[in-house]
Amino acid sequence: MPDPARPPPPQEPDMPPPAIRVLLVDDHPMFRAGVRTSLETGTEITVVGEAGTAAEGVRLARELRPDVVLMDLRLPDRSGAEATRDLLGGDDPGGNVLVVSMSEEDDSVVAALRAGARGYVVKGTGREELLRAVRTVAEGGAVFSPAVAARLAAYFTALRAAPAQAAFPALTPREVEILGLVAQGLQNREIARRLFLSDKTVRNYVSQLLAKLQVEDRTQAAVRARDAGLGT
């Protein structure tokens, strides 16, 4: 029976979760300094190291065991996608990779994903969005900035449309892609936003493909496209 005259033992304070450990791999020291400042405003994230080359990044990742590696794609010795592949391959993977790059080219995005990156955000992303991305990747999730997600959607739409190229040999791959979006019922402005093109450019593409298909309007073009398997 507890002694009423003895004070209760002190309660153990709740311990904060350990900080997310981040490694920065980018060949621009000023950019690394800016990212470090953005990430280390509190106790949630700590930057454990910095590297200016792919080789140094892979070495430090295996040595420091960070939770997240922020990886640029354009490095002086090798691409960040190759470094990611080396880092995550084999029996000793070196942490989750979040790509932070200026490049939004489809091939760059897909190469990074094939290498095993769990996220892709563009340089210039706001601080709060970058923090959310780091947290998500540290927890094993995947994250993409809106611009990158839109490009991926367009890329895979084009892949699905590839077999239809044979049905429309007079059309360019871009015209087939736009024809597929027309078949989905998208208007020119929506197509422009989806593909990051100007409204005028999309109008020109639509006019060209209507002429090549020898149809009077986009409704007839959409019917031809759906018959070929596009827009479904």
Side-chain angles (χ1 to χ4, degrees), residues 171-210:
L171 301 185
T172 66
R174 177 64 98 179
E175 287 168 346
V176 171
E177 181 180 17
I178 291 176
L179 178 60
L181 297 175
V182 169
Q184 292 178 27
L186 274 65
Q187 298 303 309
N188 289 352
R189 180 165 294 182
E190 296 171 299
I191 294 172
R193 286 200 300 265
R194 178 80 64 90
L195 300 181
F196 295 92
L197 299 172
S198 70
D199 291 357
K200 180 179 179 181
T201 298
V202 173
R203 284 197 304 272
N204 290 339
Y205 272 122
V206 172
S207 296
Q208 291 167 9
L209 68 87
L210 291 181

PDB file of all heavy atoms in Angstrom, residues 171-210:
ATOM      1  N   LEU A 171      -0.352  11.527 -88.209  1.00  0.00           N
ATOM      2  CA  LEU A 171      -0.240  12.410 -87.047  1.00  0.00           C
ATOM      3  C   LEU A 171       1.104  12.222 -86.357  1.00  0.00           C
ATOM      4  O   LEU A 171       1.644  11.118 -86.290  1.00  0.00           O
ATOM      5  CB  LEU A 171      -1.365  12.136 -86.049  1.00  0.00           C
ATOM      6  CG  LEU A 171      -2.809  12.290 -86.541  1.00  0.00           C
ATOM      7  CD1 LEU A 171      -3.775  12.107 -85.373  1.00  0.00           C
ATOM      8  CD2 LEU A 171      -3.029  13.637 -87.215  1.00  0.00           C
ATOM      9  N   THR A 172       1.609  13.318 -85.788  1.00  0.00           N
ATOM     10  CA  THR A 172       2.806  13.242 -84.956  1.00  0.00           C
ATOM     11  C   THR A 172       2.423  12.681 -83.579  1.00  0.00           C
ATOM     12  O   THR A 172       1.233  12.682 -83.207  1.00  0.00           O
ATOM     13  CB  THR A 172       3.429  14.633 -84.772  1.00  0.00           C
ATOM     14  OG1 THR A 172       2.520  15.440 -84.006  1.00  0.00           O
ATOM     15  CG2 THR A 172       3.700  15.289 -86.113  1.00  0.00           C
ATOM     16  N   PRO A 173       3.399  12.199 -82.799  1.00  0.00           N
ATOM     17  CA  PRO A 173       3.079  11.713 -81.451  1.00  0.00           C
ATOM     18  C   PRO A 173       2.357  12.757 -80.598  1.00  0.00           C
ATOM     19  O   PRO A 173       1.433  12.420 -79.851  1.00  0.00           O
ATOM     20  CB  PRO A 173       4.447  11.354 -80.872  1.00  0.00           C
ATOM     21  CG  PRO A 173       5.266  10.981 -82.066  1.00  0.00           C
ATOM     22  CD  PRO A 173       4.807  11.901 -83.153  1.00  0.00           C
ATOM     23  N   ARG A 174       2.757  14.031 -80.702  1.00  0.00           N
ATOM     24  CA  ARG A 174       2.086  15.067 -79.926  1.00  0.00           C
ATOM     25  C   ARG A 174       0.651  15.244 -80.388  1.00  0.00           C
ATOM     26  O   ARG A 174      -0.258  15.432 -79.557  1.00  0.00           O
ATOM     27  CB  ARG A 174       2.852  16.384 -80.054  1.00  0.00           C
ATOM     28  CG  ARG A 174       2.195  17.554 -79.342  1.00  0.00           C
ATOM     29  CD  ARG A 174       2.146  17.327 -77.831  1.00  0.00           C
ATOM     30  NE  ARG A 174       3.221  18.009 -77.167  1.00  0.00           N
ATOM     31  CZ  ARG A 174       3.413  18.013 -75.858  1.00  0.00           C
ATOM     32  NH1 ARG A 174       2.585  17.346 -75.081  1.00  0.00           N
ATOM     33  NH2 ARG A 174       4.430  18.636 -75.318  1.00  0.00           N
ATOM     34  N   GLU A 175       0.407  15.168 -81.700  1.00  0.00           N
ATOM     35  CA  GLU A 175      -0.964  15.290 -82.205  1.00  0.00           C
ATOM     36  C   GLU A 175      -1.819  14.112 -81.750  1.00  0.00           C
ATOM     37  O   GLU A 175      -3.009  14.294 -81.428  1.00  0.00           O
ATOM     38  CB  GLU A 175      -0.943  15.380 -83.740  1.00  0.00           C
ATOM     39  CG  GLU A 175      -0.424  16.720 -84.252  1.00  0.00           C
ATOM     40  CD  GLU A 175      -0.136  16.724 -85.743  1.00  0.00           C
ATOM     41  OE1 GLU A 175      -0.085  15.626 -86.353  1.00  0.00           O
ATOM     42  OE2 GLU A 175       0.029  17.816 -86.305  1.00  0.00           O
ATOM     43  N   VAL A 176      -1.235  12.908 -81.700  1.00  0.00           N
ATOM     44  CA  VAL A 176      -1.981  11.754 -81.184  1.00  0.00           C
ATOM     45  C   VAL A 176      -2.329  11.964 -79.724  1.00  0.00           C
ATOM     46  O   VAL A 176      -3.439  11.656 -79.269  1.00  0.00           O
ATOM     47  CB  VAL A 176      -1.171  10.455 -81.381  1.00  0.00           C
ATOM     48  CG1 VAL A 176      -1.835   9.288 -80.653  1.00  0.00           C
ATOM     49  CG2 VAL A 176      -1.029  10.127 -82.862  1.00  0.00           C
ATOM     50  N   GLU A 177      -1.367  12.500 -78.954  1.00  0.00           N
ATOM     51  CA  GLU A 177      -1.620  12.774 -77.538  1.00  0.00           C
ATOM     52  C   GLU A 177      -2.772  13.756 -77.372  1.00  0.00           C
ATOM     53  O   GLU A 177      -3.677  13.552 -76.541  1.00  0.00           O
ATOM     54  CB  GLU A 177      -0.341  13.319 -76.902  1.00  0.00           C
ATOM     55  CG  GLU A 177      -0.464  13.633 -75.420  1.00  0.00           C
ATOM     56  CD  GLU A 177       0.830  14.180 -74.837  1.00  0.00           C
ATOM     57  OE1 GLU A 177       1.708  14.612 -75.618  1.00  0.00           O
ATOM     58  OE2 GLU A 177       0.955  14.192 -73.597  1.00  0.00           O
ATOM     59  N   ILE A 178      -2.756  14.827 -78.156  1.00  0.00           N
ATOM     60  CA  ILE A 178      -3.821  15.826 -78.061  1.00  0.00           C
ATOM     61  C   ILE A 178      -5.143  15.249 -78.550  1.00  0.00           C
ATOM     62  O   ILE A 178      -6.207  15.518 -77.973  1.00  0.00           O
ATOM     63  CB  ILE A 178      -3.421  17.088 -78.844  1.00  0.00           C
ATOM     64  CG1 ILE A 178      -2.277  17.790 -78.117  1.00  0.00           C
ATOM     65  CG2 ILE A 178      -4.613  18.029 -79.023  1.00  0.00           C
ATOM     66  CD1 ILE A 178      -1.715  18.994 -78.833  1.00  0.00           C
ATOM     67  N   LEU A 179      -5.108  14.429 -79.583  1.00  0.00           N
ATOM     68  CA  LEU A 179      -6.327  13.774 -80.057  1.00  0.00           C
ATOM     69  C   LEU A 179      -6.949  12.916 -78.956  1.00  0.00           C
ATOM     70  O   LEU A 179      -8.177  12.901 -78.778  1.00  0.00           O
ATOM     71  CB  LEU A 179      -6.019  12.915 -81.286  1.00  0.00           C
ATOM     72  CG  LEU A 179      -7.184  12.122 -81.885  1.00  0.00           C
ATOM     73  CD1 LEU A 179      -8.303  13.056 -82.325  1.00  0.00           C
ATOM     74  CD2 LEU A 179      -6.689  11.263 -83.049  1.00  0.00           C
ATOM     75  N   GLY A 180      -6.106  12.218 -78.192  1.00  0.00           N
ATOM     76  CA  GLY A 180      -6.625  11.418 -77.084  1.00  0.00           C
ATOM     77  C   GLY A 180      -7.312  12.267 -76.035  1.00  0.00           C
ATOM     78  O   GLY A 180      -8.341  11.870 -75.469  1.00  0.00           O
ATOM     79  N   LEU A 181      -6.772  13.452 -75.774  1.00  0.00           N
ATOM     80  CA  LEU A 181      -7.395  14.345 -74.795  1.00  0.00           C
ATOM     81  C   LEU A 181      -8.688  14.943 -75.342  1.00  0.00           C
ATOM     82  O   LEU A 181      -9.653  15.150 -74.598  1.00  0.00           O
ATOM     83  CB  LEU A 181      -6.407  15.445 -74.402  1.00  0.00           C
ATOM     84  CG  LEU A 181      -5.136  14.948 -73.698  1.00  0.00           C
ATOM     85  CD1 LEU A 181      -4.163  16.096 -73.459  1.00  0.00           C
ATOM     86  CD2 LEU A 181      -5.478  14.254 -72.387  1.00  0.00           C
ATOM     87  N   VAL A 182      -8.708  15.223 -76.645  1.00  0.00           N
ATOM     88  CA  VAL A 182      -9.961  15.662 -77.276  1.00  0.00           C
ATOM     89  C   VAL A 182     -11.024  14.577 -77.130  1.00  0.00           C
ATOM     90  O   VAL A 182     -12.198  14.853 -76.836  1.00  0.00           O
ATOM     91  CB  VAL A 182      -9.718  16.000 -78.770  1.00  0.00           C
ATOM     92  CG1 VAL A 182     -11.055  16.185 -79.505  1.00  0.00           C
ATOM     93  CG2 VAL A 182      -8.864  17.250 -78.907  1.00  0.00           C
ATOM     94  N   ALA A 183     -10.612  13.324 -77.320  1.00  0.00           N
ATOM     95  CA  ALA A 183     -11.560  12.209 -77.190  1.00  0.00           C
ATOM     96  C   ALA A 183     -12.085  12.069 -75.777  1.00  0.00           C
ATOM     97  O   ALA A 183     -13.182  11.537 -75.561  1.00  0.00           O
ATOM     98  CB  ALA A 183     -10.877  10.904 -77.622  1.00  0.00           C
ATOM     99  N   GLN A 184     -11.329  12.564 -74.793  1.00  0.00           N
ATOM    100  CA  GLN A 184     -11.805  12.539 -73.409  1.00  0.00           C
ATOM    101  C   GLN A 184     -12.762  13.680 -73.100  1.00  0.00           C
ATOM    102  O   GLN A 184     -13.315  13.752 -72.000  1.00  0.00           O
ATOM    103  CB  GLN A 184     -10.611  12.625 -72.444  1.00  0.00           C
ATOM    104  CG  GLN A 184      -9.711  11.403 -72.446  1.00  0.00           C
ATOM    105  CD  GLN A 184      -8.528  11.558 -71.514  1.00  0.00           C
ATOM    106  OE1 GLN A 184      -8.601  12.297 -70.527  1.00  0.00           O
ATOM    107  NE2 GLN A 184      -7.448  10.875 -71.805  1.00  0.00           N
ATOM    108  N   GLY A 185     -12.951  14.579 -74.081  1.00  0.00           N
ATOM    109  CA  GLY A 185     -13.875  15.695 -73.892  1.00  0.00           C
ATOM    110  C   GLY A 185     -13.227  16.956 -73.374  1.00  0.00           C
ATOM    111  O   GLY A 185     -13.935  17.916 -73.025  1.00  0.00           O
ATOM    112  N   LEU A 186     -11.893  17.017 -73.316  1.00  0.00           N
ATOM    113  CA  LEU A 186     -11.219  18.206 -72.830  1.00  0.00           C
ATOM    114  C   LEU A 186     -11.246  19.309 -73.883  1.00  0.00           C
ATOM    115  O   LEU A 186     -11.080  19.050 -75.072  1.00  0.00           O
ATOM    116  CB  LEU A 186      -9.767  17.895 -72.453  1.00  0.00           C
ATOM    117  CG  LEU A 186      -9.509  17.370 -71.036  1.00  0.00           C
ATOM    118  CD1 LEU A 186     -10.162  16.012 -70.832  1.00  0.00           C
ATOM    119  CD2 LEU A 186      -8.013  17.299 -70.756  1.00  0.00           C
ATOM    120  N   GLN A 187     -11.453  20.530 -73.425  1.00  0.00           N
ATOM    121  CA  GLN A 187     -11.399  21.686 -74.307  1.00  0.00           C
ATOM    122  C   GLN A 187      -9.959  22.184 -74.424  1.00  0.00           C
ATOM    123  O   GLN A 187      -9.075  21.758 -73.677  1.00  0.00           O
ATOM    124  CB  GLN A 187     -12.304  22.798 -73.781  1.00  0.00           C
ATOM    125  CG  GLN A 187     -13.780  22.400 -73.713  1.00  0.00           C
ATOM    126  CD  GLN A 187     -14.327  21.951 -75.066  1.00  0.00           C
ATOM    127  OE1 GLN A 187     -14.165  22.663 -76.065  1.00  0.00           O
ATOM    128  NE2 GLN A 187     -14.963  20.790 -75.103  1.00  0.00           N
ATOM    129  N   ASN A 188      -9.735  23.086 -75.373  1.00  0.00           N
ATOM    130  CA  ASN A 188      -8.364  23.527 -75.654  1.00  0.00           C
ATOM    131  C   ASN A 188      -7.660  24.077 -74.416  1.00  0.00           C
ATOM    132  O   ASN A 188      -6.478  23.798 -74.182  1.00  0.00           O
ATOM    133  CB  ASN A 188      -8.363  24.583 -76.753  1.00  0.00           C
ATOM    134  CG  ASN A 188      -8.699  23.992 -78.111  1.00  0.00           C
ATOM    135  OD1 ASN A 188      -8.793  22.786 -78.260  1.00  0.00           O
ATOM    136  ND2 ASN A 188      -8.880  24.853 -79.105  1.00  0.00           N
ATOM    137  N   ARG A 189      -8.352  24.880 -73.633  1.00  0.00           N
ATOM    138  CA  ARG A 189      -7.706  25.478 -72.464  1.00  0.00           C
ATOM    139  C   ARG A 189      -7.311  24.407 -71.449  1.00  0.00           C
ATOM    140  O   ARG A 189      -6.239  24.479 -70.841  1.00  0.00           O
ATOM    141  CB  ARG A 189      -8.639  26.503 -71.817  1.00  0.00           C
ATOM    142  CG  ARG A 189      -8.051  27.184 -70.586  1.00  0.00           C
ATOM    143  CD  ARG A 189      -8.830  28.407 -70.200  1.00  0.00           C
ATOM    144  NE  ARG A 189      -8.724  29.440 -71.229  1.00  0.00           N
ATOM    145  CZ  ARG A 189      -9.282  30.650 -71.136  1.00  0.00           C
ATOM    146  NH1 ARG A 189      -9.996  30.958 -70.078  1.00  0.00           N
ATOM    147  NH2 ARG A 189      -9.138  31.524 -72.107  1.00  0.00           N
ATOM    148  N   GLU A 190      -8.172  23.408 -71.281  1.00  0.00           N
ATOM    149  CA  GLU A 190      -7.843  22.315 -70.359  1.00  0.00           C
ATOM    150  C   GLU A 190      -6.645  21.507 -70.862  1.00  0.00           C
ATOM    151  O   GLU A 190      -5.782  21.101 -70.081  1.00  0.00           O
ATOM    152  CB  GLU A 190      -9.056  21.401 -70.186  1.00  0.00           C
ATOM    153  CG  GLU A 190     -10.255  22.074 -69.540  1.00  0.00           C
ATOM    154  CD  GLU A 190     -11.493  21.191 -69.586  1.00  0.00           C
ATOM    155  OE1 GLU A 190     -11.942  20.844 -70.696  1.00  0.00           O
ATOM    156  OE2 GLU A 190     -11.995  20.837 -68.505  1.00  0.00           O
ATOM    157  N   ILE A 191      -6.610  21.279 -72.176  1.00  0.00           N
ATOM    158  CA  ILE A 191      -5.477  20.549 -72.760  1.00  0.00           C
ATOM    159  C   ILE A 191      -4.192  21.354 -72.571  1.00  0.00           C
ATOM    160  O   ILE A 191      -3.137  20.807 -72.248  1.00  0.00           O
ATOM    161  CB  ILE A 191      -5.731  20.272 -74.257  1.00  0.00           C
ATOM    162  CG1 ILE A 191      -6.916  19.317 -74.424  1.00  0.00           C
ATOM    163  CG2 ILE A 191      -4.487  19.674 -74.915  1.00  0.00           C
ATOM    164  CD1 ILE A 191      -7.360  19.126 -75.856  1.00  0.00           C
ATOM    165  N   ALA A 192      -4.267  22.655 -72.765  1.00  0.00           N
ATOM    166  CA  ALA A 192      -3.094  23.515 -72.605  1.00  0.00           C
ATOM    167  C   ALA A 192      -2.544  23.428 -71.189  1.00  0.00           C
ATOM    168  O   ALA A 192      -1.327  23.321 -70.985  1.00  0.00           O
ATOM    169  CB  ALA A 192      -3.455  24.960 -72.951  1.00  0.00           C
ATOM    170  N   ARG A 193      -3.443  23.470 -70.196  1.00  0.00           N
ATOM    171  CA  ARG A 193      -2.987  23.360 -68.808  1.00  0.00           C
ATOM    172  C   ARG A 193      -2.389  21.990 -68.537  1.00  0.00           C
ATOM    173  O   ARG A 193      -1.386  21.868 -67.837  1.00  0.00           O
ATOM    174  CB  ARG A 193      -4.152  23.629 -67.845  1.00  0.00           C
ATOM    175  CG  ARG A 193      -4.544  25.093 -67.750  1.00  0.00           C
ATOM    176  CD  ARG A 193      -5.330  25.359 -66.480  1.00  0.00           C
ATOM    177  NE  ARG A 193      -6.555  24.569 -66.430  1.00  0.00           N
ATOM    178  CZ  ARG A 193      -7.737  25.005 -66.825  1.00  0.00           C
ATOM    179  NH1 ARG A 193      -7.856  26.223 -67.315  1.00  0.00           N
ATOM    180  NH2 ARG A 193      -8.806  24.236 -66.747  1.00  0.00           N
ATOM    181  N   ARG A 194      -3.017  20.950 -69.064  1.00  0.00           N
ATOM    182  CA  ARG A 194      -2.543  19.588 -68.824  1.00  0.00           C
ATOM    183  C   ARG A 194      -1.133  19.382 -69.391  1.00  0.00           C
ATOM    184  O   ARG A 194      -0.300  18.729 -68.766  1.00  0.00           O
ATOM    185  CB  ARG A 194      -3.507  18.594 -69.459  1.00  0.00           C
ATOM    186  CG  ARG A 194      -3.126  17.129 -69.348  1.00  0.00           C
ATOM    187  CD  ARG A 194      -3.469  16.563 -67.987  1.00  0.00           C
ATOM    188  NE  ARG A 194      -4.898  16.570 -67.751  1.00  0.00           N
ATOM    189  CZ  ARG A 194      -5.717  15.560 -68.070  1.00  0.00           C
ATOM    190  NH1 ARG A 194      -5.238  14.478 -68.670  1.00  0.00           N
ATOM    191  NH2 ARG A 194      -7.008  15.630 -67.792  1.00  0.00           N
ATOM    192  N   LEU A 195      -0.868  19.954 -70.568  1.00  0.00           N
ATOM    193  CA  LEU A 195       0.396  19.698 -71.264  1.00  0.00           C
ATOM    194  C   LEU A 195       1.389  20.851 -71.139  1.00  0.00           C
ATOM    195  O   LEU A 195       2.458  20.804 -71.747  1.00  0.00           O
ATOM    196  CB  LEU A 195       0.129  19.422 -72.746  1.00  0.00           C
ATOM    197  CG  LEU A 195      -0.774  18.219 -73.050  1.00  0.00           C
ATOM    198  CD1 LEU A 195      -0.929  18.043 -74.552  1.00  0.00           C
ATOM    199  CD2 LEU A 195      -0.228  16.946 -72.416  1.00  0.00           C
ATOM    200  N   PHE A 196       1.026  21.886 -70.355  1.00  0.00           N
ATOM    201  CA  PHE A 196       1.898  23.037 -70.164  1.00  0.00           C
ATOM    202  C   PHE A 196       2.233  23.696 -71.515  1.00  0.00           C
ATOM    203  O   PHE A 196       3.390  24.001 -71.821  1.00  0.00           O
ATOM    204  CB  PHE A 196       3.185  22.645 -69.416  1.00  0.00           C
ATOM    205  CG  PHE A 196       2.931  22.180 -68.018  1.00  0.00           C
ATOM    206  CD1 PHE A 196       2.742  20.832 -67.748  1.00  0.00           C
ATOM    207  CD2 PHE A 196       2.860  23.087 -66.978  1.00  0.00           C
ATOM    208  CE1 PHE A 196       2.501  20.402 -66.462  1.00  0.00           C
ATOM    209  CE2 PHE A 196       2.621  22.659 -65.687  1.00  0.00           C
ATOM    210  CZ  PHE A 196       2.427  21.320 -65.426  1.00  0.00           C
ATOM    211  N   LEU A 197       1.185  23.881 -72.325  1.00  0.00           N
ATOM    212  CA  LEU A 197       1.311  24.562 -73.605  1.00  0.00           C
ATOM    213  C   LEU A 197       0.435  25.813 -73.576  1.00  0.00           C
ATOM    214  O   LEU A 197      -0.433  25.962 -72.711  1.00  0.00           O
ATOM    215  CB  LEU A 197       0.860  23.651 -74.754  1.00  0.00           C
ATOM    216  CG  LEU A 197       1.642  22.347 -74.949  1.00  0.00           C
ATOM    217  CD1 LEU A 197       0.952  21.480 -75.999  1.00  0.00           C
ATOM    218  CD2 LEU A 197       3.078  22.632 -75.351  1.00  0.00           C
ATOM    219  N   SER A 198       0.648  26.707 -74.522  1.00  0.00           N
ATOM    220  CA  SER A 198      -0.217  27.873 -74.628  1.00  0.00           C
ATOM    221  C   SER A 198      -1.524  27.483 -75.320  1.00  0.00           C
ATOM    222  O   SER A 198      -1.583  26.498 -76.066  1.00  0.00           O
ATOM    223  CB  SER A 198       0.472  28.985 -75.430  1.00  0.00           C
ATOM    224  OG  SER A 198       0.580  28.618 -76.791  1.00  0.00           O
ATOM    225  N   ASP A 199      -2.581  28.271 -75.071  1.00  0.00           N
ATOM    226  CA  ASP A 199      -3.859  28.014 -75.734  1.00  0.00           C
ATOM    227  C   ASP A 199      -3.702  28.068 -77.254  1.00  0.00           C
ATOM    228  O   ASP A 199      -4.283  27.257 -77.977  1.00  0.00           O
ATOM    229  CB  ASP A 199      -4.903  29.045 -75.284  1.00  0.00           C
ATOM    230  CG  ASP A 199      -5.305  28.879 -73.830  1.00  0.00           C
ATOM    231  OD1 ASP A 199      -4.813  27.928 -73.193  1.00  0.00           O
ATOM    232  OD2 ASP A 199      -6.103  29.696 -73.337  1.00  0.00           O
ATOM    233  N   LYS A 200      -2.906  29.028 -77.734  1.00  0.00           N
ATOM    234  CA  LYS A 200      -2.723  29.181 -79.177  1.00  0.00           C
ATOM    235  C   LYS A 200      -2.048  27.944 -79.772  1.00  0.00           C
ATOM    236  O   LYS A 200      -2.447  27.472 -80.849  1.00  0.00           O
ATOM    237  CB  LYS A 200      -1.883  30.419 -79.462  1.00  0.00           C
ATOM    238  CG  LYS A 200      -1.650  30.664 -80.950  1.00  0.00           C
ATOM    239  CD  LYS A 200      -0.825  31.929 -81.174  1.00  0.00           C
ATOM    240  CE  LYS A 200      -0.574  32.143 -82.664  1.00  0.00           C
ATOM    241  NZ  LYS A 200       0.250  33.363 -82.908  1.00  0.00           N
ATOM    242  N   THR A 201      -1.052  27.410 -79.075  1.00  0.00           N
ATOM    243  CA  THR A 201      -0.367  26.217 -79.574  1.00  0.00           C
ATOM    244  C   THR A 201      -1.330  25.036 -79.681  1.00  0.00           C
ATOM    245  O   THR A 201      -1.320  24.291 -80.672  1.00  0.00           O
ATOM    246  CB  THR A 201       0.808  25.851 -78.655  1.00  0.00           C
ATOM    247  OG1 THR A 201       1.751  26.926 -78.655  1.00  0.00           O
ATOM    248  CG2 THR A 201       1.505  24.579 -79.115  1.00  0.00           C
ATOM    249  N   VAL A 202      -2.188  24.877 -78.685  1.00  0.00           N
ATOM    250  CA  VAL A 202      -3.147  23.773 -78.720  1.00  0.00           C
ATOM    251  C   VAL A 202      -4.138  23.969 -79.865  1.00  0.00           C
ATOM    252  O   VAL A 202      -4.485  23.010 -80.571  1.00  0.00           O
ATOM    253  CB  VAL A 202      -3.879  23.640 -77.369  1.00  0.00           C
ATOM    254  CG1 VAL A 202      -5.008  22.608 -77.464  1.00  0.00           C
ATOM    255  CG2 VAL A 202      -2.898  23.246 -76.273  1.00  0.00           C
ATOM    256  N   ARG A 203      -4.594  25.197 -80.052  1.00  0.00           N
ATOM    257  CA  ARG A 203      -5.518  25.458 -81.171  1.00  0.00           C
ATOM    258  C   ARG A 203      -4.881  25.071 -82.500  1.00  0.00           C
ATOM    259  O   ARG A 203      -5.539  24.479 -83.365  1.00  0.00           O
ATOM    260  CB  ARG A 203      -5.927  26.936 -81.187  1.00  0.00           C
ATOM    261  CG  ARG A 203      -6.930  27.332 -80.133  1.00  0.00           C
ATOM    262  CD  ARG A 203      -7.594  28.665 -80.469  1.00  0.00           C
ATOM    263  NE  ARG A 203      -6.632  29.746 -80.663  1.00  0.00           N
ATOM    264  CZ  ARG A 203      -6.178  30.513 -79.675  1.00  0.00           C
ATOM    265  NH1 ARG A 203      -6.597  30.306 -78.422  1.00  0.00           N
ATOM    266  NH2 ARG A 203      -5.323  31.477 -79.930  1.00  0.00           N
ATOM    267  N   ASN A 204      -3.616  25.416 -82.663  1.00  0.00           N
ATOM    268  CA  ASN A 204      -2.922  25.064 -83.906  1.00  0.00           C
ATOM    269  C   ASN A 204      -2.829  23.554 -84.079  1.00  0.00           C
ATOM    270  O   ASN A 204      -3.045  23.026 -85.179  1.00  0.00           O
ATOM    271  CB  ASN A 204      -1.527  25.677 -83.918  1.00  0.00           C
ATOM    272  CG  ASN A 204      -1.561  27.193 -84.068  1.00  0.00           C
ATOM    273  OD1 ASN A 204      -2.553  27.749 -84.537  1.00  0.00           O
ATOM    274  ND2 ASN A 204      -0.493  27.850 -83.672  1.00  0.00           N
ATOM    275  N   TYR A 205      -2.491  22.844 -82.990  1.00  0.00           N
ATOM    276  CA  TYR A 205      -2.407  21.385 -83.063  1.00  0.00           C
ATOM    277  C   TYR A 205      -3.752  20.784 -83.452  1.00  0.00           C
ATOM    278  O   TYR A 205      -3.834  19.869 -84.292  1.00  0.00           O
ATOM    279  CB  TYR A 205      -1.957  20.802 -81.717  1.00  0.00           C
ATOM    280  CG  TYR A 205      -0.470  20.715 -81.547  1.00  0.00           C
ATOM    281  CD1 TYR A 205       0.169  21.364 -80.492  1.00  0.00           C
ATOM    282  CD2 TYR A 205       0.318  19.952 -82.405  1.00  0.00           C
ATOM    283  CE1 TYR A 205       1.538  21.286 -80.317  1.00  0.00           C
ATOM    284  CE2 TYR A 205       1.688  19.857 -82.233  1.00  0.00           C
ATOM    285  CZ  TYR A 205       2.296  20.521 -81.185  1.00  0.00           C
ATOM    286  OH  TYR A 205       3.645  20.429 -81.028  1.00  0.00           O
ATOM    287  N   VAL A 206      -4.830  21.265 -82.829  1.00  0.00           N
ATOM    288  CA  VAL A 206      -6.159  20.714 -83.114  1.00  0.00           C
ATOM    289  C   VAL A 206      -6.530  20.975 -84.571  1.00  0.00           C
ATOM    290  O   VAL A 206      -7.050  20.081 -85.264  1.00  0.00           O
ATOM    291  CB  VAL A 206      -7.214  21.305 -82.161  1.00  0.00           C
ATOM    292  CG1 VAL A 206      -8.617  20.891 -82.589  1.00  0.00           C
ATOM    293  CG2 VAL A 206      -6.947  20.833 -80.726  1.00  0.00           C
ATOM    294  N   SER A 207      -6.249  22.166 -85.066  1.00  0.00           N
ATOM    295  CA  SER A 207      -6.550  22.476 -86.471  1.00  0.00           C
ATOM    296  C   SER A 207      -5.777  21.562 -87.416  1.00  0.00           C
ATOM    297  O   SER A 207      -6.332  21.050 -88.402  1.00  0.00           O
ATOM    298  CB  SER A 207      -6.204  23.940 -86.770  1.00  0.00           C
ATOM    299  OG  SER A 207      -7.011  24.815 -86.019  1.00  0.00           O
ATOM    300  N   GLN A 208      -4.505  21.318 -87.094  1.00  0.00           N
ATOM    301  CA  GLN A 208      -3.691  20.458 -87.934  1.00  0.00           C
ATOM    302  C   GLN A 208      -4.207  19.025 -87.944  1.00  0.00           C
ATOM    303  O   GLN A 208      -4.298  18.389 -89.005  1.00  0.00           O
ATOM    304  CB  GLN A 208      -2.235  20.484 -87.454  1.00  0.00           C
ATOM    305  CG  GLN A 208      -1.537  21.816 -87.682  1.00  0.00           C
ATOM    306  CD  GLN A 208      -0.228  21.935 -86.925  1.00  0.00           C
ATOM    307  OE1 GLN A 208       0.255  20.955 -86.344  1.00  0.00           O
ATOM    308  NE2 GLN A 208       0.347  23.116 -86.908  1.00  0.00           N
ATOM    309  N   LEU A 209      -4.562  18.506 -86.764  1.00  0.00           N
ATOM    310  CA  LEU A 209      -4.997  17.104 -86.744  1.00  0.00           C
ATOM    311  C   LEU A 209      -6.368  16.934 -87.379  1.00  0.00           C
ATOM    312  O   LEU A 209      -6.664  15.897 -87.998  1.00  0.00           O
ATOM    313  CB  LEU A 209      -4.931  16.534 -85.329  1.00  0.00           C
ATOM    314  CG  LEU A 209      -5.882  17.034 -84.242  1.00  0.00           C
ATOM    315  CD1 LEU A 209      -7.201  16.277 -84.242  1.00  0.00           C
ATOM    316  CD2 LEU A 209      -5.215  16.874 -82.863  1.00  0.00           C
ATOM    317  N   LEU A 210      -7.241  17.950 -87.287  1.00  0.00           N
ATOM    318  CA  LEU A 210      -8.538  17.874 -87.973  1.00  0.00           C
ATOM    319  C   LEU A 210      -8.323  17.815 -89.480  1.00  0.00           C
ATOM    320  O   LEU A 210      -8.996  17.043 -90.194  1.00  0.00           O
ATOM    321  CB  LEU A 210      -9.403  19.081 -87.619  1.00  0.00           C
ATOM    322  CG  LEU A 210      -9.929  19.183 -86.186  1.00  0.00           C
ATOM    323  CD1 LEU A 210     -10.786  20.442 -86.024  1.00  0.00           C
ATOM    324  CD2 LEU A 210     -10.723  17.951 -85.789  1.00  0.00           C
TER     325      LEU A 210
END
